[in-house]
Amino acid sequence: MMSKAKRSILYWIILAPLVVVILFPFAVMFVTAVRPRDELFVYPPTWGFSEFRWENFAEMWVKTNFGGALLNSLYVSITATSAALILSIPAAYAMSRYRFAGKGLYKNFLLMTQMMSPIVLVLGLFRLMMTLGLVNDLNSLVITYAAFNMAFTIWMLQSYFNSIPRDLEEAAWMDGASHLTSLIRIFLPLAVPAIVVTAIFTFINSWNEFVLALTMMRSSEDFTLPVQIYSQVAGRYQVEWHHVMAGTVLATVPVAILFSWLQRYLIRGMALGAVK
Amino acid sequence: MAQSGLSALCLLPVATAWTLETMAKKAHISIPMLMVLPSLLLATGIIGYPILDLAWTSMQEVSRFGKLQGFVGWENFAEVFGDPLFYASLWRTGIWTGAVVAGTLLISMPVAMILNDDFYGRGLARVLVMLPWSISLTMTAVVWRWALNGRSGLLNATLMQMGVINEPIEWLAEASTAFTVEILVGILVSIPFTTTILLGGLSSMPQDAYEAAVVDGATGWHQFRYITLPLMKPFINIAIVLNVIYVFNSLPIIWVMTEGGPANGTDILVTYLYKLAFRFGQLGKASAISLIMFGVLLVFTLLYVVLLSRNEADAAPEDEVKGHDE
Amino acid sequence: MTYAFRTSSAIMALGFGMFGLAPAALAQTVVDFTVAEYSSKTGPYFQEVASAFEAANPDIKINIQVVPWDTLLQRLTTDVAGGTAPDISIIGTRWLLDFADQGVAEPIDSYLTPEFKGTFIDTFMNPGIIDGKIMGLPVAASARAMMVNMDLYDAAGAAPPTTWDELYEASKKIAALPDTFAFGLQGKEIETDAYFYYSLWTHGGDILNADGTSGLNSPAAIESATLYKTMIDEGLTQPSPTNYNREDVFNLFKQGKVGTIFTFPMLVPQIKEEAPNLRYQILPFPEAGAKATYGVTDTLMMFADSDAKEAAWKFIEFAYGDANREKFDVGEGFLPVTKNVAALPYFNEDPDVAGFAAGLPYAKFAPVIANWEEIADVTVRTMQQIYLGEVTPEEGLAAAAAEVNKIRGL
């Protein structure tokens, strides 16, 4: 066996190329975001630049309605995550604890919903939202994101729920508690780690979704962040790359920090729950 | 299982009828069904309905604004199958999906094994490897597009400053290099999710198996081949299935970086579909392609379900409480 | 679903913060106006016009939706499909026929008073006339021209060219300068086909023949494509044109690295701001048998399904006021579409604007035909294959012409 120190050095050497490639886009974002505008297109290209222009961020914020897009993204992601969880928890519980007609069918149906990419369905979805009167309404994204994530959330939660012993609930039933009470009082607190993991996953998916947001949101004040940033690049007579990158930095860093903090739960949840 | 998977296609009307039936006998509606019902309704409405709508549309002549103008049977499908760009995109979709998923697994497996082991700075390493997950695909692609800019891009800057190249490389000028770069970016963004799944699997693995192996004098490779790999199989399977589905359907990377160009040389089915539907207004043909894609994925998923049920047959029977409806 | 939302009331409170803009007054007519985003100035400009209009007409509310060009057609397509089309929209004139064919566009002859009609320059009005009916008003216009970097031409001892032969000879001299490209050739994304049409037209060819079939396999087309390919092979263009979109080529020019580009008026304000020391000159396209420029117009279209046509029209007349148009054209760098603005000193005395406007008498427009986007895509793909050397100009253009004819049902 190698000593821990030796092993650490070896592992970091192996990981180094990957880490460099992972950090590269972040470095690109940052270095471009703080560059003066006239140093964007220089030849030969270089990492260096003359001064840190932090004003780029402020300019970008005002020019691109970044704050509005940020709020939209937060609203959609948080609400969609909550909705997906509220619908998935009982379903996953039922799948984990009961035998009932159509269970296998339902499982396969969920797998199929997972297969559909929003882009494939976008026109049908648009017509649907139109009938529901939800076009140009952020709630149309909330509903679709919740629906598209449900397959994964139910599957994830169910596998995790399977690993929670039934004894506690059974004891509660003996004491005359209803199924609902035992679910809320006894079971859910035990399931918190799995719920957190599922929530992170759904949140990230919703936060990052692009195609549906592009199609459903008609006016610029309803744009979510990915659409907002894409619209700074696409079909413009001129792309303000330093503003675009300032936008991506601001859109990314908070999530990256949050994510770094929560990722341990993600792995633990996968370990406890998935693929049982 | 496989049979029920097939019949899942006709689940929608069945499910609705079945739901109504149970509603009618509302005194008898069971608790588990009640718990599943809201999620079923949402999924049926939001995902099931558009699928049916798509199937119906693909048999119609459609104006560029989505007005149905009459039944044409299989004509849209015939048009798709007579289109050389469709076959080229289909072929490229296969390469794209295969290369990204395979590349992702080949990198993620050793990375997950390292991250599962105890070493200095493991927490930091885990955070770093997971980092690309927190950026949206669209933004990643936007950043890479800028980084790959021929004359002003920072990738060329790095390579030139390191003295690797003298002249800037135009990464996206030719389909072959552009597609390769896109596959590499695809792999990069798939690593975190895959590593997470594999890491979950590794950390739940029984230690005694390894200890026994060490006693038997198994080398590192033998340990991996005969202990780790078999135990990890379900995790690898799920990673493959989910990645295939995500990668097959993924639009942003290719769309933002090259829009399927140059000369349609990086078009995969989704980018081709997007162009047909929204640039050229051929919604009938686009619906047909959507359904074909759906079919491809269905076959793949069914294969997976068959594999899964074969595995489950070996495993211990599921531990379940009897429902009240029986 | 609603109960699910209500339970997370804390989140809703956060969410509702941004829905604070409640619909303002009663009995208002709302006009939805989709605006194509030309630059970052476009949205604020139209917002300002709308506010001024609303102040004068409190019973009408103008709801502006700014959409990037790349997604505009998709947006309108899904809007119309979903029955939520706006009342008026800016569109590329090249799409107008598709809209008119499907009964989506409203003919505006009955709204257009002779007086109002008289304010427009006929050249720009004409592309919007389909089957004798006026389907839209020109809202933005530009003509294209050649722009040369005088420092590079002087350094190479070359004179700005008037013919393609001269351009080719001058390019050889400029390419010999260190770290310099003679000719900026666009090879990807929006308007890659236009860069080819410039050459096609000035070689005496056309996109469509007189009988409506594709003109892509004409001798003029093959000659102009071959010339571009030769220039690539001889190192007279920047390397790998297929990695350069319009903006990339213009950026090279701003950096003073390129001798000659073909461009639009909107580049002038950018150069003045970013590269004020660049000595450039605007000249007609080089000729090889024909004079031509590409006239591009965008159209303001009214939707047939609109239920606020009167109010929308009132707004249109307001927005076309001289002061508004002047601000728009100058701000975005467009050529004027109305006579009064065209008569302003700025548009006649400014050598840059005059340089672009000079081509208008012989300007060519993209043909108003169905499926234009698809046909343009065939052209772009073929040009890329030729630039990359995947096909010869003869093969590629013959195949492209056949494909275009098939799309057109000929």
Side-chain angles (χ1 to χ4, degrees):
Chain A
M1 273 306 229
M2 259 185 284
S3 76
K4 191 176 173 185
K6 262 191 190 162
R7 200 166 57 216
S8 303
I9 294 170
L10 177 70
Y11 283 172
W12 276 106
I13 291 173
I14 299 174
L15 288 177
L18 182 64
V19 170
V20 168
V21 176
I22 285 171
L23 290 179
F24 178 75
F26 286 91
V28 170
M29 262 187 240
F30 182 74
V31 164
T32 311
V34 296
R35 234 168 235 246
R37 189 182 197 289
D38 49 7
E39 287 175 33
L40 286 174
F41 294 97
V42 288
Y43 185 84
T46 164
W47 282 90
F49 50 94
S50 60
E51 51 157 342
F52 282 93
R53 270 191 49 99
W54 300 106
E55 307 91 286
N56 285 349
F57 286 90
E59 281 169 25
M60 182 281 302
W61 187 286
V62 175
K63 232 173 158 177
T64 63
N65 182 31
F66 188 86
L70 183 70
L71 277 181
N72 291 343
S73 272
L74 275 177
Y75 170 75
V76 168
S77 309
I78 293 176
T79 325
T81 306
S82 320
L85 283 179
I86 288 166
L87 292 177
S88 308
I89 291 171
Y93 183 78
M95 303 273 285
S96 160
R97 290 296 193 260
Y98 300 100
R99 196 187 297 260
F100 58 94
K103 181 170 152 182
L105 216 60
Y106 186 59
K107 230 173 166 177
N108 287 332
F109 171 69
L110 285 178
L111 191 60
M112 290 208 339
T113 66
Q114 176 96 92
M115 280 158 40
M116 293 310 288
S117 150
I119 180 171
V120 170
L121 295 182
V122 86
L123 209 79
L125 279 170
F126 183 80
R127 281 218 282 260
L128 180 69
M129 288 305 158
M130 209 256 314
T131 356
L132 297 176
L134 285 175
V135 167
N136 214 359
D137 185 334
L138 288 167
N139 288 326
S140 66
L141 294 184
V142 171
I143 298 174
T144 12
Y145 293 173
F148 273 98
N149 277 300
M150 234 163 40
F152 185 83
T153 50
I154 293 181
W155 168 74
M156 183 84 187
L157 289 171
Q158 185 215 336
S159 331
Y160 185 87
F161 290 175
N162 281 345
S163 72
I164 297 178
R166 286 175 297 117
D167 315 4
L168 290 169
E169 291 151 80
E170 278 171 359
W173 296 345
M174 303 273 194
D175 295 344
S178 76
H179 284 249
L180 196 66
T181 324
S182 77
L183 175 68
I184 293 173
R185 289 269 173 77
I186 315 281
F187 183 78
L188 280 186
L190 288 173
V192 164
I195 295 173
V196 171
V197 172
T198 325
I200 304 173
F201 188 85
T202 314
F203 182 89
I204 291 177
N205 279 353
S206 313
W207 183 263
N208 291 346
E209 202 283 333
F210 173 63
V211 177
L212 285 175
L214 185 67
T215 313
M216 303 278 192
M217 293 300 108
R218 336 296 299 160
S219 54
S220 43
E221 65 253 38
D222 289 331
F223 283 174
T224 56
L225 280 176
V227 180
Q228 179 64 43
I229 286 180
Y230 175 73
S231 73
Q232 302 300 313
V233 180
R236 279 289 184 68
Y237 281 120
Q238 198 177 12
V239 180
E240 311 268 0
W241 280 108
H242 56 311
H243 288 164
V244 172
M245 291 299 145
T248 50
V249 168
L250 287 193
T252 303
V253 169
V255 188
I257 292 172
L258 183 78
F259 187 76
S260 313
W261 176 49
L262 290 173
Q263 54 90 23
R264 70 188 71 219
Y265 298 102
L266 208 59
I267 295 166
R268 198 186 299 159
M270 288 276 181
L272 285 170
V275 214
K276 276 282 159 69
Chain B
M1 277 298 251
Q3 240 178 349
S4 60
L6 263 177
S7 56
L9 248 190
C10 19
L11 178 78
L12 302 179
V14 178
T16 322
W18 169 78
T19 310
L20 287 175
E21 200 186 318
T22 27
M23 295 269 266
K25 299 187 260 171
K26 65 179 165 203
H28 296 285
I29 194 161
S30 74
I31 291 177
M33 284 186 186
L34 207 62
M35 289 173 127
V36 169
L37 198 62
S39 63
L40 176 71
L41 287 179
L42 183 69
T44 316
I46 300 298
I47 300 168
Y49 169 81
I51 296 177
L52 291 182
D53 189 77
L54 211 61
W56 179 236
T57 314
S58 70
M59 304 265 189
Q60 304 268 333
E61 192 192 333
V62 194
S63 84
R64 71 168 303 133
F65 302 109
K67 286 204 185 89
L68 306 185
Q69 299 181 317
F71 190 78
V72 293
W74 300 104
E75 214 170 87
N76 286 321
F77 288 90
E79 212 176 301
V80 170
F81 288 123
D83 182 352
L85 286 178
F86 168 73
Y87 293 104
S89 309
L90 182 66
W91 169 238
R92 230 172 274 116
T93 308
I95 298 177
W96 160 255
T97 313
V100 172
V101 175
T104 306
L105 272 177
L106 281 179
I107 297 178
S108 300
M109 194 66 214
V111 168
M113 288 173 71
I114 289 178
L115 293 183
N116 189 47
D117 210 344
D118 180 33
F119 67 103
Y120 294 114
R122 182 175 77 164
L124 177 67
R126 283 190 173 185
V127 168
L128 287 174
V129 170
M130 299 299 153
L131 217 45
W133 203 352
S134 61
I135 329 181
S136 91
L137 283 187
T138 315
M139 291 187 210
T140 311
V142 166
V143 173
W144 276 103
R145 185 188 161 127
W146 168 240
L148 291 168
N149 184 303
R151 288 175 59 83
S152 311
L154 289 169
L155 181 61
N156 279 337
T158 314
L159 296 178
M160 283 167 84
Q161 283 175 349
M162 282 165 56
V164 180
I165 53 172
N166 292 322
E167 284 290 305
I169 298 176
E170 300 283 355
W171 299 98
L172 303 178
E174 285 183 37
S176 50
T177 44
F179 200 48
T180 312
V181 169
E182 283 162 351
I183 286 175
L184 292 176
V185 174
I187 291 175
L188 184 69
V189 298
S190 308
I191 285 176
F193 176 62
T194 316
T195 308
T196 307
I197 292 185
L198 297 179
L199 205 48
L202 286 170
S203 62
S204 67
M205 227 142 47
Q207 278 306 305
D208 39 350
Y210 283 100
E211 279 152 22
V214 172
V215 172
D216 292 348
T219 62
W221 169 250
H222 276 95
Q223 267 188 38
F224 176 75
R225 174 69 186 78
Y226 294 105
I227 302 171
T228 315
L229 218 49
L231 282 171
M232 284 296 286
K233 213 172 138 199
F235 291 89
I236 296 175
N237 278 343
I238 197 73
I240 293 178
V241 172
L242 291 177
N243 270 319
V244 164
I245 291 170
Y246 293 151
V247 175
F248 185 88
N249 283 323
S250 171
L251 174 85
I253 294 175
I254 294 184
W255 189 253
V256 172
M257 284 169 73
T258 55
E259 294 189 1
N264 295 65
T266 58
D267 257 331
I268 59 170
L269 284 178
V270 275
T271 57
Y272 185 51
L273 169 81
Y274 191 86
K275 276 188 223 174
L276 275 181
F278 297 119
R279 288 232 170 126
F280 310 149
Q282 300 191 1
L283 299 174
K285 199 173 163 188
S287 312
I289 292 186
S290 304
L291 276 190
I292 295 167
M293 289 178 63
F294 181 61
V296 172
L297 281 172
L298 190 66
V299 170
F300 178 80
T301 316
L302 286 181
L303 270 175
Y304 168 71
V305 169
V306 172
L307 278 175
L308 196 75
S309 54
R310 204 176 288 164
N311 280 352
E312 255 173 35
D314 303 335
E318 262 181 271
D319 196 17
E320 285 167 324
V321 179
K322 240 184 161 223
H324 291 212
D325 56 330
E326 283 163 302
Chain C
M1 277 309 292
T2 34
Y3 75 90
F5 293 142
R6 238 170 254 150
T7 41
S8 49
S9 52
I11 297 154
M12 292 304 277
L14 172 67
F16 275 132
M18 65 213 149
F19 297 126
L21 301 156
L26 307 160
Q28 256 190 343
T29 313
V30 177
V31 175
D32 289 315
F33 179 20
T34 301
V35 169
E37 188 168 39
Y38 293 103
S39 72
S40 44
K41 291 177 191 156
T42 316
Y45 164 77
F46 278 105
Q47 207 61 61
E48 200 185 308
V49 175
S51 305
F53 176 76
E54 284 165 0
N57 300 273
D59 55 330
I60 301 173
K61 174 163 169 37
I62 308 294
N63 184 16
I64 303 235
Q65 309 186 349
V66 182
V67 179
W69 267 111
D70 255 29
T71 54
L72 180 60
L73 185 57
Q74 174 203 347
R75 189 58 70 86
L76 291 172
T77 304
T78 42
D79 268 338
V80 173
T84 55
D87 298 297
I88 46 178
S89 174
I90 292 177
I91 64 162
T93 308
R94 54 194 181 279
W95 307 330
L96 187 59
L97 186 77
D98 282 332
F99 283 87
D101 259 5
Q102 310 270 349
V104 175
E106 171 83 3
I108 53 168
D109 301 78
S110 56
Y111 299 91
L112 194 60
T113 60
E115 195 187 12
F116 187 27
K117 192 181 170 189
T119 60
F120 289 95
I121 297 168
D122 291 337
T123 321
F124 294 128
M125 198 72 172
N126 292 336
I129 302 177
I130 293 169
D131 292 338
K133 285 184 192 152
I134 304 175
M135 304 307 290
L137 295 173
V139 69
S142 75
R144 306 298 160 86
M146 177 169 72
M147 196 182 255
V148 295
N149 180 327
M150 287 313 292
D151 286 332
L152 293 180
Y153 269 84
D154 289 349
T162 57
T163 68
W164 278 98
D165 288 337
E166 288 174 20
L167 174 67
Y168 178 71
E169 293 304 327
S171 295
K172 277 185 170 168
K173 291 181 191 163
I174 295 170
L177 298 173
D179 191 26
T180 304
F181 310 119
F183 181 64
L185 178 60
Q186 180 194 341
K188 73 169 180 185
E189 294 171 13
I190 190 167
E191 286 204 345
T192 300
D193 52 329
Y195 232 84
F196 171 64
Y197 303 147
Y198 303 150
S199 176
L200 172 69
W201 282 323
T202 46
H203 278 87
D206 212 336
I207 299 172
L208 296 180
N209 297 321
D211 62 356
T213 55
S214 169
L216 285 180
N217 58 349
S218 65
I222 293 168
E223 197 185 332
S224 37
T226 310
L227 177 63
Y228 275 169
K229 178 61 177 157
T230 312
M231 291 177 82
I232 296 171
D233 291 342
E234 294 180 2
L236 304 185
T237 67
Q238 83 280 14
S240 305
T242 46
N243 199 23
Y244 286 80
N245 64 16
R246 185 167 64 185
E247 193 217 346
D248 296 327
V249 172
F250 295 172
N251 273 330
L252 281 182
F253 189 82
K254 287 182 210 162
Q255 294 158 36
K257 302 284 183 195
V258 178
T260 313
I261 55 165
F262 298 154
T263 187
F264 49 43
M266 290 77 89
L267 188 64
V268 172
Q270 294 177 25
I271 289 178
K272 286 190 171 141
E273 194 186 324
E274 295 165 45
N277 298 323
L278 193 71
R279 268 181 64 225
Y280 64 89
Q281 210 175 331
I282 292 154
L283 300 162
F285 285 130
E287 291 168 42
K291 263 174 145 20
T293 183
Y294 187 17
V296 179
T297 63
D298 296 326
T299 293
L300 185 63
M301 191 189 96
M302 189 139 88
F303 285 79
D305 287 342
S306 163
D307 51 7
K309 293 192 183 105
E310 297 297 331
W313 190 259
K314 214 169 164 184
F315 173 68
I316 290 174
E317 288 188 336
F318 179 84
Y320 273 94
D322 290 341
N324 285 333
R325 288 305 304 179
E326 182 188 351
K327 190 166 177 224
F328 179 67
D329 290 335
V330 173
E332 303 280 4
F334 286 125
L335 296 177
V337 294
T338 54
K339 289 171 185 160
N340 286 344
V341 177
L344 292 170
Y346 172 81
F347 292 98
N348 296 292
E349 286 158 17
D350 187 284
D352 298 332
V353 179
F356 283 102
L360 285 177
Y362 48 84
K364 300 231 181 207
F365 293 86
V368 182
I369 50 177
N371 300 317
W372 170 250
E373 283 293 309
E374 208 178 344
I375 290 166
D377 186 69
V378 171
T379 315
V380 170
R381 189 197 318 143
T382 307
M383 295 325 293
Q384 290 178 330
Q385 285 169 337
I386 292 171
Y387 297 162
L388 288 168
E390 290 172 5
V391 294
T392 65
E394 290 83 359
E395 289 164 9
L397 290 168
E403 212 179 328
V404 170
N405 289 338
K406 195 178 147 214
I407 293 169
R408 300 208 63 211
L410 295 169

